[in-house]
Amino acid sequence: MISKKVYIAPDGFIAFIDRAHSKHVQAAAFFRFFAQEQYQLYSNIISINETYMVLYNTVSPSLARDFLKALSFSSINILYPEPADMKAAIKILENSTSVELTFSKALMAVVCNKKSVPQIMTYDFLHALYGLQLFYLPV
């Protein structure tokens, strides 16, 4: 059985919100599918902040504010990292040789593993930490 838990990365939110984004149509299809199939969506506070800052700086401050307002009404589960999660993410970074792996991506992997979220909606390169996989729409 395929898990119905998906983590939404900042670029997934941005593609969905910004209609001028090259992946907007695809992101809209993802969110429509999530709603129809009653998926449990997750993100963490750092990803929320990254999304807010990108929207604030590249689109508009009012749209960034509307994003936060919409989150308060949504059913997206916001995960808050604990000190142990932060230490685990730092340990991943210390042991990694990849220069593309950032603290927020390592923390994302840690909280996904902790909450048994196996899939991530992102358009960026995904490091295969804890067996995480990209989310694809079923064909």
Side-chain angles (χ1 to χ4, degrees), residues 33-53:
F33 179 79
F34 295 149
Q36 288 172 351
E37 299 298 319
Q38 299 178 342
Y39 271 65
Q40 295 175 26
L41 302 180
Y42 295 85
S43 196
N44 72 16
I45 194 68
I46 293 175
S47 293
I48 300 298
N49 185 56
E50 284 181 24
T51 304
Y52 174 82
M53 292 308 299

Side-chain angles (χ1 to χ4, degrees), residues 54-119:
V54 168
L55 291 172
Y56 186 92
N57 292 322
T58 61
V59 182
S60 80
S62 62
L63 185 62
R65 212 170 309 119
D66 287 346
F67 164 68
L68 293 180
K69 188 176 180 181
L71 270 179
S72 69
F73 296 116
S74 76
S75 61
I76 295 173
N77 300 292
I78 300 175
L79 305 174
Y80 298 92
E82 296 176 5
D85 301 332
M86 306 286 269
K87 288 179 183 179
I90 291 169
K91 187 173 258 191
I92 288 171
L93 284 175
E94 288 174 350
N95 295 327
S96 175
T97 57
S98 174
V99 293
E100 292 96 21
L101 183 60
T102 63
F103 175 73
S104 68
K105 290 179 182 178
L107 185 61
M108 175 178 64
V110 170
V111 297
C112 283
N113 182 56
K114 184 176 179 181
K115 294 293 184 179
S116 301
V117 179
Q119 303 173 93

